[in-house]
Amino acid sequence: MTGTETGVTGTETGVTGTETGKVGIKVWSDYVCPFCMLAEGPLHEATHDLDVEIEWMPFELRPYPTPTLRPEDEYLPAIWARSVYPMARRMGVDITLPTVSPQPYTRLAFEGYQYAAEHGKAAEYTPRMLRAFFQENRDIGRLDVLTDIAAELGLDRVGFAEALTAGTYTETHQEALRTAAAYRVSVAPTIIIAERHRLEGVPTVAQVRKAVLDAQAEQAVARGAACGIDGC
């Protein structure tokens, strides 16, 4: 799976940045998608010296009651051998097909993301969850596993577990899924930069960097800080 760029349709709001003037980057991912973990490296390499704000966005590839995949069946080993492992080797990423069977539903983990976001740990939560599944073979569909990971991030163990048990963030997560639908997200990862540049699949560093630099130039023109091809 490689990055492809298309125009944002349906929800395009023009050239906008965040309130801080940074270029906003939305990344829709699912914790059981290996390509989402592989996309993290190019994303950060391309933007480490640029003024961006990365927001991880929930997207469930197989929401309940859709059956999840089983690593002992033919499909997962085949696609990992054909696509995931070769790409991971080229990128130098340590990733292994988890043996958790069937693969977990991710709704509860995403509700945990909403708790983490409310407590200032959004940026750390998604990469940590991906590593837990693809490097540590942990069942991220279980409340006790999620609670342990949350505690590792410095979140309150009891508060986290109580919030997930009570469904405190269920509606917030459902609203996030409606946002994904509004942006017509159908694959993971999907990356939208400055509400305008769309990349689907694992992008290259060059693709991400070009989109961010283009967005910066577009924002400068919109602010009246530069001249565009149509004049000043």
Side-chain angles (χ1 to χ4, degrees), residues 121 124-125 127-129 131-133 136 138 140 144-157 160:
K121 294 291 185 178
E124 298 92 339
Y125 186 91
R128 182 67 189 92
M129 202 60 59
R131 288 194 296 274
F133 189 55
E136 300 167 11
R138 297 167 77 173
I140 58 172
D144 59 333
V145 173
L146 295 175
T147 301
D148 286 344
I149 296 171
E152 293 171 15
L153 294 174
L155 294 167
D156 179 67
R157 176 184 293 272
F160 181 90

Side-chain angles (χ1 to χ4, degrees), residues 216-232:
Q216 287 180 333
E218 291 157 0
Q219 290 178 6
V221 171
R223 292 194 303 268
C227 294
I229 60 173
D230 296 324
C232 294

Side-chain angles (χ1 to χ4, degrees), residues 6-14 178-185 192 195-196 198:
T6 61
V8 178
T9 59
T11 58
E12 187 169 46
T13 57
R178 288 191 285 272
T179 298
Y183 277 84
R184 301 182 184 180
V185 174
I192 296 180
E195 300 290 341
R196 190 173 181 85
R198 183 183 191 110

Side-chain angles (χ1 to χ4, degrees), residues 21 25 67 92 116 137 143 161 165:
I25 301 177
N137 202 35
L143 178 60
T165 300

Side-chain angles (χ1 to χ4, degrees), residues 30-32 59-61 104-111 140 173:
D30 195 358
Y31 301 135
V32 294
F59 177 66
E60 293 184 52
L61 286 166
Y105 290 105
T106 50
R107 175 190 61 81
L108 197 62
F110 278 127
E111 291 186 20
I140 58 172
H173 173 56

